[in-house]
Amino acid sequence: MRRFTMLASLLMVLCLQMAAQTWEEVKVGTSTRKTLTYVPKNVEKSPALVISLHGMNQDPEYQQKQTQWNALADTEGFIVTYPLGNNRMWDTGGTGDVKFVEAIMKDMELKHNVDKNRIYLSGFSMGSWLGYHCLETLGDKIAAFGPVSGVDIGKQPKANRKVSIMHIHGTGDDVFKYTGDPSHMAGGYPSIEEYVKKWAAYEGCDASNPQVIRPYPANSTGPKATRTIYNNVNDGVEVTLIAIDGKGHWHSNEANGVHSTKELWAFFKQHQLDQTSTPDPNFQIYLCFGQSNMEGNAAIEAQDKTGVNPRFMAMYTLDNAQAGWTMGLWHTAVPPQARPGTKLSVVDYFGRKMVDNLPEEVKVGTITVAVGGASIDLFDKDKYQAYLNDANTADWLRNYAKEYGGNPYGRLIELAKIAQKKGVIKGILLHQGETNNCDPTWPSKVKKIYNDMLADLGLDAKDVPLLVGELGQKDQNAACWGHNAIIDNIAATIPTAHVVSSKDCPLQSDRLHFTAEGYRMFGKRYADVMLEQLGVIPVENRNYFIRYESHAGANLWDQQAVYTLPKALEKDAKYTLTMKVRTSADCETLGFWPIWNASTNKNQWGGSADVQYLAPYPVEAGEWKTLTWKFTAQFPLDAFQFVFGKYSGTLDIDDLVLVKEGTSENLIANADFSAKHIQGWSANWQGPSYYLANDAYQSTGITQPSVVAQPSQQDDAYYTLQGVRVSHPTSGIFIHKGKKIVMK
């Protein structure tokens, strides 16, 4: 009876939620238009709004079912509304429907206290066409735009504000053709790739060097897709294309691939109209200074110019029309970093490794001001002028300094203040010492410069460490190896300084500069040291595991982690299972129910002869704990259920070992998840969501992000009343799409 009660309660909740969906009238001039609005029960006090525009000859009810925005609104607390086009069409060239969309925005602010800084526009097919058209006059009211399978035919990009756009399109679309339709009766349009690229360029993004992710999502088991990302970090704008292989003219609701609506919402909530006034804590800025090894002195090779993640940005440090440099602007960090004509440096691979190890929402920006051959005095704001005026200072060095306005330190601080409007300075990198070789006063000189930087930028040393790189090593017969003893002791003078080792980084024949490979190695080591200060575990050292996210239910079996064994166990044989578990809160009961999934008896009410109920464990929140079960297989068990239906929080599982008595073979495939996939794992009909995760951070108080999300179930799956997923249901009672059905 409890199972029926639970299902009845679920249906009641669904009915209550549906009652929150109503038709609303909207005045547009002298006419009255309609929009179908869904307000979830848990709506925020000042919620975000999604306006979802239907396609040609469609309607709001159809758009709602196709997009599934309502379900997402329930969990995220925003409002979604579906406008109705006149005659189920949209005016994609005039102002009638643009005014309708604008009127909806105003009405929603009045009726539902919608946050005007978080109004998002999306559309399908002709709805996307109208959406692009709306950007011309409403871009300043739209926080982000999410078109699906549609373009603004016959027009060039135009908007009254730079708006972030996520465009989703199937490569098999035969209506708005992915390959383009130059002869379309409405004016023609290029390929979707070219169309989105044009918008990216128009929005000020670096259109020449996008980030390309394929496959997308990373461990998708559904149709493969490619995500191409263009960034304009100066204005906080992103234009991105998700192209789904073979997808036709339709929304994508793939459980194990691209889910259009979920992708759009994840994108939308990263953008709001008032964001530019506040520095982005996820934009990390690093200041880099020194002499030639920081400036770069090895030839830039093809591998150094390609594959640069657009999340790694560099700021132009001077104006140079010939090179296309405009001081103070950010660009994708393709070398060189310091000045036109400089070469590969440690900065290049510092940034690369940083973005490879930080969450996707984090960007890294570097500002490099360095002068080859310079003494540390060039960066002392009280001494630089005397140094440049000194008769012993070479003319070529003075000329390099002139490119920075004659004051490299001043230029670095000037640009750092510009950067602080967009992001947060997290560290300072120094490589210098050859000109000050073995100078015992060098640490105190560096300390003054470091303290001046902190003071001039309003920074605290504990939040902004100084990373100091060694020079070439003694065993390399380096010209200035003796200075390393001074560098290695820098923490005695500057407690927040950290040394970066140059050991085994190859040198050029001049014994002063590193080779290209040396800079690559050295730059990654700078990143290793900085990541350590941030508490970040490098990707190559991370432990992978599976994570389940659970909401407490009425019964223990409401939430289950399910593992299908590669081979069924032997009936009457003895086994031992050990595994590590970790919970985010105290879990009163974690049960282990091995089952015989192939049994024909598992659909009976009570007394099933296919499940073993082994002793449960309580699990306290905190560190990993090892659980052990010893059991005799009563059936040819072929699946494991770990049940925790009364628990709310995350459950992590790792390092499973299942052995038959008298043997040593582990019967669990990918037991430590080192293969970086979760094949064989699933969940029961209730959920919970699950995904491959890792420990990305040390115990620093930083929230540990999950790496790759993977939905827990497929839309068409069947489940027994015990929550067991069935591939080929025969006779009995099953749960299908949240409903109880009888198979005869």
Side-chain angles (χ1 to χ4, degrees):
M1 285 302 292
R2 285 183 294 176
R3 296 185 176 99
F4 284 119
T5 302
M6 180 192 67
L7 290 171
S9 300
L10 179 61
L11 291 172
M12 185 178 295
V13 170
L14 291 173
C15 290
L16 288 171
Q17 290 175 338
M18 289 300 292
Q21 180 166 288
T22 57
W23 284 99
E24 296 184 340
E25 293 186 345
V26 180
K27 278 286 191 183
V28 187
T30 59
S31 63
T32 300
R33 304 285 296 274
K34 293 173 64 179
T35 187
L36 184 63
T37 301
Y38 182 74
V39 182
K41 290 184 68 179
N42 66 331
V43 67
E44 296 179 4
K45 290 182 179 179
S46 183
L49 170 68
V50 174
I51 302 173
S52 182
L53 303 168
H54 62 73
M56 181 177 175
N57 292 326
Q58 297 175 356
D59 56 32
E61 291 96 335
Y62 187 89
Q63 183 73 356
Q64 173 218 310
K65 293 175 183 177
Q66 180 183 200
T67 61
Q68 303 175 13
W69 274 112
N70 290 13
L72 202 55
D74 283 332
T75 59
E76 297 288 335
F78 63 85
I79 294 174
V80 58
T81 193
Y82 309 90
L84 174 62
N86 287 325
N87 300 315
R88 300 184 179 184
M89 304 272 287
W90 296 113
D91 177 6
T92 57
T95 61
D97 284 331
V98 175
K99 291 179 179 179
F100 181 27
V101 172
E102 185 176 21
I104 289 172
M105 295 176 178
K106 293 177 179 178
D107 263 31
M108 292 293 167
E109 289 177 41
L110 292 172
K111 294 177 181 176
H112 302 291
N113 195 34
V114 162
D115 182 355
K116 65 181 181 180
N117 290 308
R118 295 188 296 150
I119 296 178
Y120 307 103
L121 183 63
S122 184
F124 170 70
S125 189
M126 195 179 196
S128 292
W129 188 349
L130 174 63
Y132 274 114
H133 180 54
C134 285
L135 296 185
E136 294 185 24
T137 53
L138 298 181
D140 58 341
K141 296 178 175 63
I142 298 168
F145 174 45
V148 178
S149 303
V151 302
D152 195 356
I153 300 175
K155 293 183 183 177
Q156 295 298 315
K158 184 179 180 182
N160 67 350
R161 183 186 75 87
K162 293 176 179 176
V163 182
S164 291
I165 299 171
M166 171 175 276
H167 188 117
I168 302 176
H169 218 107
T171 64
D173 194 329
D174 59 353
V175 178
F176 281 86
K177 298 176 181 178
Y178 190 80
T179 54
D181 187 358
S183 59
H184 192 282
M185 64 177 65
Y189 56 94
S191 72
I192 301 303
E193 291 178 8
E194 186 62 28
Y195 184 80
V196 173
K197 186 176 181 179
K198 282 186 175 183
W199 267 98
Y202 176 79
E203 301 269 32
C205 301
D206 185 355
S208 63
N209 192 40
Q211 179 187 3
V212 180
I213 305 172
R214 182 171 177 86
Y216 183 84
N219 64 344
S220 168
T221 58
K224 295 294 187 291
T226 303
R227 182 169 179 178
T228 305
I229 304 170
Y230 303 91
N231 274 304
N232 173 357
V233 74
N234 298 294
D235 298 298
V237 172
E238 176 184 329
V239 177
T240 188
L241 168 65
I242 298 179
I244 308 169
D245 292 1
K247 189 72 177 179
H249 192 64
W250 204 253
H251 267 266
S252 178
N253 296 322
E254 294 289 340
N256 298 311
V258 174
H259 191 293
S260 302
T261 300
K262 291 179 180 179
E263 291 287 348
L264 290 173
W265 178 246
F267 182 78
F268 285 169
K269 62 185 183 180
Q270 298 178 38
H271 302 278
Q272 59 186 48
L273 293 180
D274 61 356
Q275 278 185 330
T276 55
S277 61
T278 305
D280 181 359
N282 285 326
F283 188 17
Q284 298 186 0
I285 310 297
Y286 295 90
L287 309 181
C288 312
F289 74 107
Q291 54 185 106
S292 54
N293 277 315
M294 182 62 77
E295 187 179 57
N297 196 264
I300 301 168
E301 300 173 4
Q303 63 179 296
D304 309 313
K305 293 182 178 181
T306 58
V308 182
N309 192 321
R311 290 168 46 224
F312 173 28
M313 314 291 292
M315 181 178 280
Y316 291 127
T317 55
L318 46 83
D319 292 320
N320 187 307
Q322 185 176 359
W325 286 31
T326 301
M327 186 177 71
L329 293 184
W330 292 101
H331 66 285
T332 303
V334 177
Q337 307 294 340
R339 297 176 290 107
T342 54
K343 300 179 180 179
L344 193 69
S345 82
V346 295
V347 180
D348 291 290
Y349 283 81
F350 164 79
R352 287 194 180 209
K353 185 160 187 179
M354 290 294 291
V355 298
D356 285 345
N357 285 272
L358 293 168
E360 285 292 323
E361 65 269 19
V362 177
K363 300 185 289 290
V364 169
T366 55
I367 305 173
T368 305
V369 176
V371 176
S375 163
I376 194 67
D377 290 340
L378 182 62
F379 293 93
D380 187 325
K381 66 179 185 179
D382 299 315
K383 294 181 178 180
Y384 79 95
Q385 197 63 67
Y387 174 70
L388 290 173
N389 291 337
D390 191 298
N392 294 317
T393 301
D395 287 340
W396 56 263
L397 192 149
R398 293 193 185 96
N399 290 333
Y400 288 157
K402 284 181 182 178
E403 295 194 55
Y404 299 116
N407 182 0
Y409 174 88
R411 177 63 54 84
L412 185 59
I413 297 301
E414 176 189 4
L415 298 177
K417 288 180 177 179
I418 294 173
Q420 284 180 305
K421 296 178 181 178
K422 297 290 184 182
V424 179
I425 296 173
K426 301 292 288 186
I428 300 172
L429 281 58
L430 169 66
H431 196 280
Q432 194 280 335
E434 294 90 347
T435 301
N436 296 84
N437 187 33
C438 296
D439 178 359
T441 67
W442 184 82
S444 61
K445 292 179 178 180
V446 173
K447 181 179 181 179
K448 179 183 181 300
I449 296 168
Y450 177 56
N451 287 342
D452 285 346
M453 286 183 176
L454 298 175
D456 289 342
L457 296 171
L459 304 173
D460 193 321
K462 71 177 188 310
D463 300 322
V464 187
L466 175 68
L467 278 56
V468 185
E470 291 182 329
L471 311 186
Q473 298 291 323
K474 181 180 180 180
D475 61 6
Q476 297 175 302
N477 194 30
C480 303
W481 65 266
H483 196 67
N484 283 338
I486 295 173
I487 294 174
D488 293 346
N489 197 40
I490 191 69
T493 305
I494 307 173
T496 51
H498 305 271
V499 177
V500 183
S501 172
S502 68
K503 184 176 174 59
D504 299 325
C505 293
L507 287 176
Q508 298 181 37
S509 58
D510 63 8
R511 301 185 297 124
L512 288 169
H513 301 104
F514 297 92
T515 65
E517 183 56 31
Y519 284 125
R520 296 180 192 117
M521 293 171 60
F522 207 1
K524 292 175 184 178
R525 291 183 186 177
Y526 268 90
D528 286 335
V529 174
M530 190 65 227
L531 291 169
E532 184 179 1
Q533 305 313 306
L534 295 173
V536 178
I537 302 171
V539 169
E540 61 269 21
N541 298 330
R542 291 179 186 175
N543 174 53
Y544 286 83
F545 51 89
I546 191 169
R547 170 167 290 174
Y548 284 82
E549 295 184 347
S550 174
H551 298 286
N555 300 286
L556 183 61
W557 48 267
D558 280 351
Q559 304 283 337
Q560 300 175 19
V562 181
Y563 176 71
T564 301
L565 290 160
K567 183 179 180 181
L569 304 187
E570 299 175 23
K571 185 177 182 297
D572 298 326
K574 295 181 178 180
Y575 295 89
T576 300
L577 172 69
T578 62
M579 69 179 191
K580 292 180 180 178
V581 299
R582 180 175 61 183
T583 56
S584 60
D586 290 346
C587 177
E588 183 178 345
T589 305
L590 172 63
F592 173 43
W593 298 354
I595 67 170
W596 181 17
N597 190 53
S599 167
T600 58
N601 191 44
K602 60 181 175 292
N603 302 314
Q604 302 299 315
W605 286 100
S608 292
D610 57 12
V611 183
Q612 292 185 225
Y613 300 94
L614 302 183
Y617 283 98
V619 183
E620 294 182 355
E623 300 301 317
W624 289 98
K625 298 169 181 64
T626 300
L627 306 184
T628 301
W629 287 277
K630 294 180 179 291
F631 62 98
T632 300
Q634 298 174 1
F635 323 104
L637 302 169
D638 53 8
F640 289 167
Q641 294 178 132
F642 303 95
V643 294
F644 45 94
K646 294 185 177 183
Y647 169 68
S648 181
T650 60
L651 169 68
D652 301 335
I653 300 174
D654 197 7
D655 297 334
L656 295 93
V657 179
L658 175 68
V659 294
K660 179 184 174 184
E661 186 177 70
T663 69
S664 59
E665 179 189 2
N666 189 359
L667 302 177
I668 303 292
N670 187 32
D672 61 357
F673 302 98
S674 59
K676 299 182 182 179
H677 67 73
I678 51 176
Q679 295 172 12
W681 289 87
S682 58
N684 70 326
W685 70 276
Q686 282 280 60
S689 64
Y690 63 96
Y691 46 83
L692 180 70
N694 66 51
D695 284 327
Y697 293 92
Q698 306 282 5
S699 300
T700 59
I702 303 173
T703 301
Q704 298 180 356
S706 54
V707 212
V708 180
Q710 178 163 323
S712 61
Q713 64 188 52
Q714 297 180 358
D715 290 341
D716 292 328
Y718 289 80
Y719 298 86
T720 72
L721 295 173
Q722 291 82 22
V724 180
R725 185 175 173 208
V726 183
S727 301
H728 303 288
T730 53
S731 61
I733 303 172
F734 297 87
I735 303 297
H736 182 57
K737 296 184 177 181
K739 298 180 179 180
K740 182 164 66 74
I741 63 171
V742 179
M743 304 284 286
K744 297 182 178 180

